[in-house]
Amino acid sequence: MTEQRKLRIVLVIVGLAAAATVTQVACEGAPINFQLFAQGGQPAKPDYPIKPVAFTAVHLNDEFWAPRIEINRTASIPSAFEQCELTGRVNLFERAAAVLRGEKNVDTRPPGYPFDETDLYKVIEGASYSLSVTPDPKLDAYVDGLIAKIAAAQEPDGYIYTTRTINPQAPHRWAGPDRWVFERDDSHELYDLGHLFEAAVAHHLATGKRTLLNVAIKAADLLVKTFGPGKRTIWPGHQITEMALVKLYRVTGKEEYLTLAKFLLDERGPGPYPEGERANPRGLTYNQAQLKVIEQSEPVGHAVRAVYMYSGMADVAAVTGDQAMRAAGKRIWDYLVTSKLYLTGGIGASGSGEAFGQPFELPNMTAYNETCASVGMDFWNHRLFLLEGDAKYIDVMERTLFNGLVSGVSLDGKTFFYPNPLESNGQHARQEWFGVACCPGNITRFMPSVPGYLYATKGDSVYVNLFAKGTANIDLPGGAITIDQDTRYPWDGAIKMTVKPKQARRFAINVRIPGWARMEPVPSALYRFIDNAGAGPTIKVNGDLVPSPTLSPAASGLARGYFTIDRTWSPGDIIQLDLPMPVRRIVANDKVIADSNRVALQRGPIVYAAEWPDNPNGKVRNIVLPDSNTLTAEFRKDLLNGVEVIKGRAVGLAFDAKGAITRTEQPFMAIPYATWANRGRGQMAVWLARVDAAAKPTPFPTVVTTAEITASPLPNGRGKNPRNIIDGEEPANSSDSTAYFDWWPVQGSKMEWVELKFAKPSMVSTSEIYWFDDTGRGGVRVPASWRLLYKSGNQWLPVETTSTFGTARNAWNALTFKPVTTPALRIELSMQQSFSAGLQEWKVK
Ligand SMILES: [Zn+2]
């Protein structure tokens, strides 16, 4: 085992006057000697210097989280299990077991994806967390039944990967001809096992049963036997196995799992690879193998894979003391919060490759911000806090948690977003399930664990990181304490904490003063408040104001974002934290082109969005919100399960019939971003125009804008809506990512179509198309060829033309044809070999 080490987290002592009741102390790093998941009877091993207080010890009865956690238990988990049954995910295990029993006539067709089994693992993990808080014998028994099916699908040597077991000769085409050889590409064998391990640990800790844990151990032992120093090499094409192995190590104490986790990280990089094995053809940056992990600085590639890997790096750094890995994680985080973080805390700007964009490339309508990436962000930020003891990681975690993560699930817990854009023209809606169904499962497993993010301990001191009404039972070396929080956070910044040690004794409580309450929306220059903060936060202990943790950390008792109160606490002592919550205006760094001349609104930790039902004419992209207009907040208990809304006056822009702009003074309202899209499809915007030029008024209705548009469907149905093609907005160029439609990831198709059905038969004679093409960034190109048809009776007939069917980039491709009076037009196109296709805009006259 690695050497026992001491991690010194020295809290800077600043000039705090020695008050009778409050002093600032430097917390000398104690030996790292606890486990993330407490295991009775096991010897202490090195781990994170800060220990989270488990979600099972924190009971919330607040307005924001408690209802969401309950809906997750009563709606999301049952519906996700149901989907796993309906879509054949459970059946995959049954079929694999049947093959192993030697049954004949088993359905050997491959699954939709070789990672379909992870969805079941994730929901079992979520159900286990839920069971550990709320006993439910029926759910417990159902999970037992699923685990029996999983165990029966495991091959005798521990291998578990249903598509290969079901049909070793012809598994899913991503699986590769043999075990592991396509792992660096997209076989997902290790990814599947990672989710199995996470589920197994959760189930074991929740129920004490070893059924799923034994399956996981058997599979992990196969990995240890196969891979590692002096054995075969490998690294996961889709990360998660690294952090999952660390969890399995904590529960079992088997150090070979930790060694393997570190090996999987150390081996990652640009080859060479053994013969017959290959990396992902999308390139090494796609799954963060462009450099050795300890050499990386920039977050790149597939965002979910990235944050899962960074989480694993933090775990391995914490447990092994690997300082190079620790430093790499901090560098990558700095890069991310400086240039690749959305205001909602989402990450992953680009749908192409589900990936990070370039620095400051943060488009709003096409923002990918996968729900899973937000979940991974919170895993990672929490781990960095546990490693570094700095509240800046909690600031980012809180931003993601309250905004870009909970936006992933509807208020009724039944539908989910895959991407979480910051602007919509009505093309986005949550769905019950997806072909690639990672996001619903991730929500089900994340929500029950939210109370575990509130508190942490280090030695005999406590960190209060998040605020929510409820009770925490916290074990400290000097004796257990209880902290009761009474607050309406996030709607109100008044937080009353009652501290209850068994008897009076001295210890320190570190109270986080959120960045947003200190003029710092993010710990970088990416976003800044533009208005006056007003009064700063205050803390009182038993009614006495203590030196204020005001806005300048250097001049206050604030260190690393915490206000430390080190005193003798008596049962019933009260801390009153007041975090004023005025409505704040935020602007982005000038380098973020998508947000230029735009403003966003935040109140407390909540980022706001204007949505169509609350603003005149069902439009918000046309709104101009001048900086001088006063905004107020008001609680609406009738709306969206009870939310604080922002109200004021704005200006609405519109086009008249002559194409001139009209300006109308009108009321304005914004709702918490996370609650948008619960009232049907329509416009939404987080970044609102500050000046007329930035607003996007809807064009005056034409034959096209009033038409109905449909396109050949995508196999995965990931919420792309062809309406963007006729939104009347002029594209800046072919790669403009504001509002387009494409068929990605369909490539090389010879037959895709778009149809325009007019409100009434119309005479048309010209068509102008602006193709979408993201050369240099993605896999979409102008089409190889296309043609235009019109509807005549039940037939589609080609238009009569002498024009050429243009495929120019960055230009309008005009086509004139013999006038026809028709109810509908249709484009048919053929993609270039190995590329997809798409349209920015289509005009018809
Ligand atoms: Zn996902």
Side-chain angles (χ1 to χ4, degrees), residues 488-499:
R488 290 193 60 241
Y489 197 91
W491 310 128
D492 189 311
I495 300 140
K496 180 179 154 194
M497 291 176 248
T498 308
V499 183

Side-chain angles (χ1 to χ4, degrees), residues 247-277:
K247 279 189 183 173
L248 204 55
Y249 151 75
R250 287 198 185 99
V251 166
T252 61
K254 292 174 83 164
E255 291 189 4
E256 53 266 41
Y257 298 160
L258 177 62
T259 307
L260 181 60
K262 183 165 167 17
F263 179 81
L264 295 180
L265 289 165
D266 289 342
E267 286 299 297
R268 190 174 209 87
Y273 311 120
E275 202 178 329
E277 300 186 20

Side-chain angles (χ1 to χ4, degrees), residues 4 45 98 110 127 154 162 225 249 256 259 291 334 343 451 499 517 546 576 580 594 623 735 766 802 813:
Q4 191 79 5
K45 298 238 170 106
Q154 186 166 35
T162 55
K225 212 169 110 189
Y249 151 75
E256 53 266 41
T259 307
L291 290 167
D334 283 340
L343 189 66
V499 183
V546 301
Q576 281 167 279
I623 288 175
S735 68
T766 60
T802 51
N813 291 275

Side-chain angles (χ1 to χ4, degrees), residues 393-423:
Y393 301 112
I394 303 294
D395 285 346
V396 175
M397 185 185 91
E398 182 183 60
R399 175 168 295 281
T400 305
L401 186 61
F402 279 97
N403 302 295
L405 195 161
V406 285
S407 61
V409 57
S410 59
L411 291 172
D412 67 6
K414 290 176 183 163
T415 58
F416 304 87
F417 268 138
Y418 198 114
N420 291 270
L422 278 73
E423 184 173 355

Side-chain angles (χ1 to χ4, degrees), residues 370 372 418 438-439:
E370 185 176 339
C372 291
Y418 198 114
C438 47
C439 299

Side-chain angles (χ1 to χ4, degrees), residues 335-381:
Y335 202 122
L336 193 155
V337 300
T338 302
S339 64
K340 297 196 183 187
L341 178 69
Y342 277 95
L343 189 66
T344 53
I347 54 164
S350 171
S352 174
E354 308 186 317
F356 287 105
Q358 294 300 311
F360 304 103
E361 182 196 352
L362 296 164
N364 291 308
M365 193 178 285
T366 58
Y368 202 63
N369 288 346
E370 185 176 339
T371 300
C372 291
S374 287
V375 170
M377 263 300 268
D378 278 358
F379 289 162
W380 181 34
N381 279 282

